[in-house]
Amino acid sequence: MLRAAAVFSATTVMGAGAAWADGEVNIYSYRQPELIQPLLDAFTKETGITTNVLFLDKGLVERINAEGANSPADVILTVDIARLVEAKEGGVTQPLQNETVNKDIPAQYRDPDGDWFGLTTRGRVVYASKDRVSLDTITYEELADPKWKGKICIRDGQHSYNIGLFASMVAHHGAEYTETWLKGFKENLARKPDGNDRSQAKSIMAGECDLALGNTYYVGLMQTNEKEPEQKEWANAIKILFPNTADRGTHVNISGMALAKNAPNKDNAVKLMEFLSSGEAQTIYAEQVFEYPVMPGAEPSDIVKAFGEIKPDALPLADIAANRKIASELVDKVGLNEGPSM
């Protein structure tokens, strides 16, 4: 089922073919409304333009295509390079060549054709047991070292977060090396891939494994989770290791935006995208979601700073995304989701 969020104006949930006033912009979002609301409030305060949001947990591309030329979508907001590429390849975006946006967002976080733009990054890092792992540095390559046999936990190997990392390995080392690496990595797993990133931290606390792959922002979410305070204990059991800080840097993924193909309020959409690319907006966004602004010099939150300094992999995300299919095929080829051999 698609779930539509309440629209942040006097209107109700958007429908195809609806007529909109000149002072509005319509956003289709894969990101939860409460996470982007402070951004939209700031935009409306600055410009007077009302924002309408439709939240979808899946099927965004399919919905916009079904709506066709009458789609009310102006701006697409999403997380993960995979979904941004999916939107472009699905034919629901249009290129934007905008001096302000291109100035604020580094080229490595932009589609070369202008069809999508990164706003914040998160590192795909190693969660390590504070009690059982003395290392302060590690590389992704080392995760295939037999010394970690039975010590690593991960979520589904085909999850987009992991595929992004594996695609970066292909981009840097080639498919043959990555296949061999994945075989060694698989044999170091403590169990079959399972759960989500937060549950990997829980498994480390429980002593089921010593290392896990996870995104940086989940640590901030766990540390501040008042509704489920046990997650604070999971976060307290781990430390973050930023892989490959001595060479190419840590693999990062992005949250991002795109201009919808048939944006009926294109001028307002471009104004919103210019605002979202600004240092002010990136700081607000990064604070909300415990991520890093892509703008050079923009500061992350104090909680994120406490994770330690990140050196992002400088390889353009478009180059990494181009290897996602190969990475996915390699995950199946080595049987990563079957877990280690007995």
Side-chain angles (χ1 to χ4, degrees):
M1 295 288 291
L2 295 178
R3 292 187 291 132
V7 178
F8 300 127
S9 71
T11 58
T12 55
V13 174
M14 297 184 296
W20 301 98
D22 290 340
E24 295 186 326
V25 61
N26 307 319
I27 302 156
Y28 279 28
S29 175
Y30 267 136
R31 195 140 223 181
Q32 290 88 342
E34 62 271 17
L35 295 179
I36 60 175
Q37 189 61 44
L39 278 174
L40 304 183
D41 289 344
F43 172 71
T44 299
K45 182 178 180 180
E46 182 174 304
T47 65
I49 298 171
T50 299
T51 59
N52 306 310
V53 178
L54 180 66
F55 168 62
L56 304 169
D57 54 10
K58 60 182 178 181
L60 185 150
V61 171
E62 291 81 1
R63 173 150 184 156
I64 295 177
N65 273 323
E67 292 168 344
N70 292 321
S71 174
D74 291 311
V75 174
I76 297 167
L77 291 181
T78 186
V79 294
D80 193 78
I81 183 62
R83 283 182 158 167
L84 288 165
V85 171
E86 177 188 61
K88 178 183 178 181
E89 293 180 347
V92 299
T93 65
Q94 61 174 297
L96 174 67
Q97 297 301 330
N98 181 278
E99 183 178 344
T100 299
V101 174
N102 288 346
K103 173 176 64 68
D104 291 343
I105 298 175
Q108 72 191 84
Y109 302 124
R110 287 188 263 123
D111 175 52
D113 299 322
D115 277 84
W116 52 258
F117 304 86
L119 294 171
T120 60
T121 66
R122 76 289 293 272
R124 192 70 179 155
V125 296
V126 172
Y127 298 167
S129 169
K130 286 181 179 177
D131 295 333
R132 300 184 300 277
V133 177
S134 59
L135 294 177
D136 291 321
T137 61
I138 201 166
T139 66
Y140 295 117
E141 290 79 3
E142 288 176 54
L143 296 178
D145 191 315
K147 71 181 180 182
W148 297 114
K149 187 172 179 62
K151 301 291 187 181
I152 301 175
C153 291
I154 61 164
R155 70 192 303 164
D156 187 335
Q158 289 287 3
H159 191 279
S160 60
Y161 298 160
N162 285 330
I163 291 297
L165 170 60
F166 302 154
S168 78
M169 294 292 287
V170 176
H172 282 289
H173 297 298
E176 184 177 350
Y177 174 96
T178 304
E179 180 180 347
T180 301
W181 176 80
L182 279 170
K183 289 177 180 177
F185 181 68
K186 172 188 173 182
E187 292 309 312
N188 287 343
L189 296 180
R191 51 167 169 73
K192 289 184 179 181
D194 187 43
N196 55 30
D197 281 10
R198 299 189 210 207
S199 64
Q200 311 311 317
K202 181 181 180 182
S203 293
I204 289 175
M205 187 187 74
E208 297 169 13
C209 47
D210 291 347
L211 302 177
L213 289 175
N215 284 347
T216 44
Y217 72 92
Y218 283 115
V219 179
L221 292 172
M222 289 187 288
Q223 288 176 343
T224 57
N225 194 330
E226 300 299 336
K227 293 182 179 179
E228 300 175 74
E230 66 273 15
Q231 291 194 12
K232 295 183 180 183
E233 297 178 23
W234 307 349
N236 192 50
I238 65 171
K239 59 183 177 181
I240 292 177
L241 301 182
F242 292 97
N244 297 83
T245 54
D247 44 68
R248 71 174 184 274
T250 298
H251 170 65
V252 299
N253 212 316
I254 56 174
S255 71
M257 62 181 179
L259 181 61
K261 180 180 180 180
N262 296 301
N265 302 294
K266 185 174 179 179
D267 288 347
N268 289 345
V270 172
K271 288 178 183 176
L272 175 59
M273 294 177 73
E274 288 177 339
F275 174 79
L276 291 175
S277 72
S278 70
E280 174 194 358
Q282 286 188 41
T283 299
I284 295 171
Y285 198 7
E287 181 96 27
Q288 281 290 115
V289 296
F290 303 106
E291 294 179 347
Y292 300 87
V294 299
M295 176 185 281
E299 294 288 331
S301 70
D302 289 341
I303 288 175
V304 173
K305 286 180 182 177
F307 298 162
E309 188 170 349
I310 186 170
K311 174 188 174 184
D313 187 341
L315 194 67
L317 280 179
D319 293 356
I320 294 173
N323 289 287
R324 294 181 62 84
K325 184 175 184 291
I326 295 173
S328 177
E329 291 169 349
L330 290 177
V331 166
D332 285 342
K333 185 176 181 180
V334 306
L336 184 64
N337 280 339
E338 298 168 10
S341 305
M342 298 301 292

